[in-house]
Amino acid sequence: MKRVLIKNIGILQTPVGSYSHGGSLQGENLKLRDAAIFAVDGIIEEITSEGKLPLGSEKADEVIDAGGALVTPGLVDGHTHMVFGGYRQHEIPMKIKGATYLDILRAGGGILDTVRKTREASEEDLVSKTEGFLDEMMSWGVTTCEAKSGYGLDFDNEIKLLKVIKTLNEKHAMDVAATFMGPHAVPDEYKGRGDAFIEMICEKMLPYIKDNNLAEFADIFTEDSVFDYDQSKRYLECAKELGFKLKIHADEIKAIGGSKLAGEMGAVSAEHLISINEEGLKSMAKGGTTAMCLPATSFYLGVDFAPARKMVEMGIPVAAASDFNPGSCPSMNLQFVMNLACIKYRLLPEEVLTAVTVNPACAIGMGEKVGTLEVGKQADMVIWNAPDMEMLCYRFGSNMAKAVIKKGKIV
Ligand code: NIG
Ligand code: FE
């Protein structure tokens, strides 16, 4: 048995509950002053405030002094594509000279370029590369994340990526939720035959992944020149039938019905949503779908920001994630995402905290265990080099995490 006391917390700030927080709940945080947390074997046993210490804390095996700082739940990055071969820095001059994201993809580059490099990489190489990313993410305060496949695009390579995610979830301190994203692009061998590619995925890949418990979620890139509304619907129906929970990359560049479909099909989340229209917003609000907004991608692509403020007003739970990937967002810095969520989305600091903790935790099926600091949940938290959340939304570019604690251990 390992007993840990985290004491001298100036402000302990956390959302409460194991459900997605929409509307006015988005901004509801519990704030305790002079708080302490007592954890036994990585699980929170008691939280106190006003200088009181938890019962039995004098017997703690380890005492961590927060030095009067702000403590929040460990951050949750609900959307990443972190398993990939190579990088795509060669796209930088192409972009500066005017090529758009879809121009590069249509010319056989972009995602397809990463697919070629990922197919060449061994499972072991991908495990060690991705392990380095997980270490870096943790240093920014992230203690739970999601990872999507989607750079294999054939049976063997997609399974290879899902196995990498499974291995890392078991071996790394980070909790990693797996999403299958076979329909991320149409691979060269199916060029012009998107329907046939979707059928192959429905017949061969999805059942195998389900039988072998390799992913809990199924995602698709519903986008102009990638997968259209009908192809997306067909894929999501197959996935739903097999028991996958649904996610959609929707309205990133053009609104072709992705967010509308997400609401109609009861998807857990729709992601990106830069170009979402009124019909999509209404459908998501009705379907109880979380908006997984990715402001660092808007920043990097130099495009608009999703209407997250409006989503909150409409009662749609908003999450903010990194989208870490080699093309549209080569950064995993969730603290920068928090700055952007405040400055560009116009979310208040309390709403931002909900967007990077409990809402993404629920959207990746981890809401019962992580995303808030409450008795019975994992002792995952960040001690910040900051007295309050306002400071975290205000300072940008520096790493403000002083100590990152996963299941009661400093990592
Ligand atoms: O979420 N939009 C589709 N997928 C990723 C980008 C993948 C890539 O460019 O490699 C995204 O932005
Ligand atoms: Fe993405």
Side-chain angles (χ1 to χ4, degrees):
M1 187 159 80
K2 170 111 198 259
R3 290 161 295 201
V4 181
L5 173 68
I6 300 103
K7 66 169 193 183
N8 203 10
I9 299 171
I11 298 178
L12 186 160
Q13 185 161 339
T14 178
V16 177
S18 305
Y19 50 86
S20 309
H21 290 44
S24 62
L25 287 178
Q26 179 91 33
E28 250 177 48
N29 292 174
L30 174 72
K31 291 179 198 175
L32 298 176
R33 289 187 184 275
D34 286 328
I37 298 176
F38 189 51
V40 177
D41 292 336
I43 303 294
I44 299 176
E45 187 145 300
E46 194 179 343
I47 299 177
T48 53
S49 62
E50 308 298 338
K52 281 193 219 107
L53 283 178
L55 274 181
S57 61
E58 66 286 353
K59 292 195 208 111
D61 304 295
E62 188 183 352
V63 177
I64 299 169
D65 190 332
L70 170 74
V71 170
T72 69
L75 307 180
V76 179
D77 191 342
H79 178 140
T80 82
H81 306 253
M82 63 168 77
V83 193
F84 57 84
Y87 287 94
R88 305 223 295 271
Q89 69 274 35
H90 62 272
E91 287 178 2
I92 282 276
M94 295 158 83
K95 287 182 179 175
I96 302 301
K97 288 181 194 155
T100 67
Y101 183 80
L102 287 183
D103 289 341
I104 296 170
L105 181 59
R106 282 189 207 106
I111 296 175
L112 294 173
D113 190 38
T114 299
V115 168
R116 287 186 282 275
K117 292 171 186 148
T118 306
R119 286 179 176 180
E120 277 163 23
S122 70
E123 193 176 321
E124 296 68 38
D125 288 349
L126 291 169
V127 166
S128 74
K129 179 175 177 182
T130 313
E131 197 170 11
F133 292 151
L134 291 175
D135 292 343
E136 187 185 336
M137 276 174 117
M138 276 203 150
S139 73
W140 290 106
V142 174
T143 49
T144 299
C145 69
E146 184 250 22
K148 302 175 196 292
S149 70
Y151 291 116
L153 307 190
D154 62 21
F155 185 90
D156 290 349
N157 284 292
E158 282 297 307
I159 301 304
K160 175 174 82 180
L161 300 189
L162 291 172
K163 283 191 182 154
V164 169
I165 296 169
K166 191 178 173 139
T167 301
L168 288 169
N169 182 40
E170 286 161 5
K171 108 177 228 214
H172 198 277
M174 184 85 78
D175 283 306
V176 190
T179 296
F180 169 63
M181 197 176 177
H184 192 191
V186 178
D188 285 340
E189 58 277 18
Y190 277 90
K191 200 167 181 192
R193 296 188 300 127
D195 286 348
F197 182 55
I198 292 288
E199 285 316 309
M200 186 279 288
I201 290 176
C202 287
E203 277 163 32
K204 295 209 183 114
M205 293 199 202
L206 285 171
Y208 182 90
I209 292 160
K210 190 75 211 168
D211 288 348
N212 290 278
N213 200 18
L214 287 170
E216 193 179 340
F217 299 91
D219 196 345
I220 181 164
F221 191 12
T222 303
E223 186 57 65
D224 179 36
S225 352
V226 192
F227 296 102
D228 64 23
Y229 181 90
D230 291 336
Q231 289 166 337
S232 304
K233 190 165 178 195
R234 165 82 182 127
Y235 166 75
L236 293 167
E237 276 169 354
C238 295
K240 194 172 184 177
E241 178 83 23
L242 287 166
F244 287 94
K245 293 186 209 149
L246 310 180
K247 292 180 175 289
I248 308 183
H249 273 60
D251 309 347
E252 178 176 357
I253 298 153
K254 259 200 194 168
I256 63 159
S259 52
K260 178 173 163 274
L261 185 60
E264 285 166 0
M265 295 209 54
V268 179
S269 55
E271 328 219 332
H272 284 288
L273 308 171
I274 293 169
S275 317
I276 193 168
N277 56 25
E278 208 58 41
E279 190 183 28
L281 286 164
K282 284 193 184 131
S283 177
M284 285 182 64
K286 194 165 165 217
T289 300
T290 291
M292 187 70 72
C293 298
L294 309 165
T297 306
S298 289
F299 167 82
Y300 192 74
L301 293 178
V303 297
D304 287 341
F305 286 79
R309 179 76 257 153
K310 185 165 183 191
M311 291 165 177
V312 171
E313 309 309 335
M314 289 180 74
I316 299 168
V318 171
S322 72
D323 193 23
F324 174 52
N325 73 73
S328 64
C329 189
S331 167
M332 62 186 88
N333 180 349
L334 209 60
Q335 291 180 40
F336 180 49
V337 168
M338 291 164 76
N339 299 123
L340 291 173
C342 183
I343 302 303
K344 295 293 187 181
Y345 288 160
R346 316 310 287 175
L347 298 187
L348 292 164
E350 291 82 1
E351 295 172 328
V352 171
L353 185 63
T354 299
V356 292
T357 55
V358 70
N359 280 358
C362 292
I364 63 170
M366 298 284 296
E368 299 288 331
K369 290 188 188 159
V370 304
T372 68
L373 289 170
E374 289 176 275
V375 171
K377 288 209 180 173
Q378 288 184 16
D380 294 2
M381 66 200 87
V382 184
I383 302 176
W384 296 99
N385 249 326
D388 50 36
M389 269 301 296
E390 284 79 358
M391 183 69 98
L392 291 189
C393 291
Y394 156 79
R395 289 286 308 276
F396 79 97
S398 303
N399 188 352
M400 304 294 284
K402 183 153 91 179
V404 181
I405 299 174
K406 179 70 183 172
K407 292 189 190 155
K409 266 193 218 119
I410 294 188
V411 287

